[in-house]
Amino acid sequence: MKKLVFAGSVFIMMLVLGGCIYDWVVPPEVPEIPDDVGISFVNEILPIFTTGNNCTACHRTGGQMPDLTENNAFNSINSAKYINLTQPEESLIYKNPAPNSSTHRHKVYSGQQAALILAWIKQGAKNN
Ligand code: HEC
């Protein structure tokens, strides 16, 4: 009987500790992109905004600012409000829809998309 109680409490302990060890809600990872991998605005950043109307469903010309449509996106975000070259992580275009953001509930970047945006800003946010 004592053995059974012991086994039972060990089992319960395992459940309790296990509950602390495992993080069931895995936060989206933001992968590092090496500095020497050049990011192109036209080829890699713009499609995040426009493919399947991902952002442009709302951020369209005459709609919600910033205008993220193909022809206007660069000019629309090319200001200190959206791009912070000294502190890239503070750029609104990165921070507001970042994967863990609670400020922009409409849509957030995937980890990969966020990494691309951040790397592009770190590389000078060029219209390339
Ligand atoms: C369903 C509509 C919708 C979609 C889709 C959407 N947004 Fe937004 N976004 C908004 C609205 C509305 C606001 C205004 C602030 C708020 O309500 O959060 C906003 C605000 C923002 C802001 C801050 C603007 C400012 O000047 O303060 C940024 C940056 C932004 N969105 C980027 C994006 C990006 C990038 C995407 C695509 C990944 C996206 N949004 C997709 C509706 C949307």
Side-chain angles (χ1 to χ4, degrees):
M1 185 58 194
K2 264 192 179 161
K3 266 188 181 162
L4 206 65
V5 172
F6 179 72
S9 36
V10 166
F11 181 67
I12 288 169
M13 285 289 283
M14 280 166 70
L15 279 185
V16 171
L17 291 176
C20 301
I21 291 163
Y22 293 104
D23 191 1
W24 295 108
V25 185
V26 180
E29 295 277 323
V30 177
E32 280 280 331
I33 293 181
D35 290 343
D36 56 351
V37 177
I39 311 290
S40 153
F41 179 72
V42 174
N43 294 330
E44 285 151 288
I45 304 302
L46 207 46
I48 298 173
F49 302 151
T50 58
T51 304
N53 271 340
N54 191 30
C55 307
T56 46
C58 306
H59 294 273
R60 55 182 180 270
T61 311
Q64 184 62 49
M65 279 301 283
D67 179 346
L68 296 176
T69 56
E70 196 175 331
N71 292 330
N72 300 325
F74 184 80
N75 288 335
S76 188
I77 61 172
N78 187 24
S79 71
K81 178 175 182 194
Y82 295 108
I83 293 173
N84 185 335
L85 289 177
T86 41
Q87 285 175 286
E89 288 85 1
E90 291 301 311
S91 303
L92 202 57
I93 191 62
Y94 165 73
K95 196 169 93 167
N96 206 41
N100 295 321
S101 159
S102 56
T103 47
H104 187 266
R105 294 180 183 277
H106 315 282
K107 175 91 43 131
V108 293
Y109 296 130
S110 69
Q112 179 66 17
Q113 290 171 336
L116 284 168
I117 302 270
L118 191 61
W120 172 71
I121 297 170
K122 284 182 174 168
Q123 291 174 15
K126 294 196 254 336
N127 190 5
N128 54 358

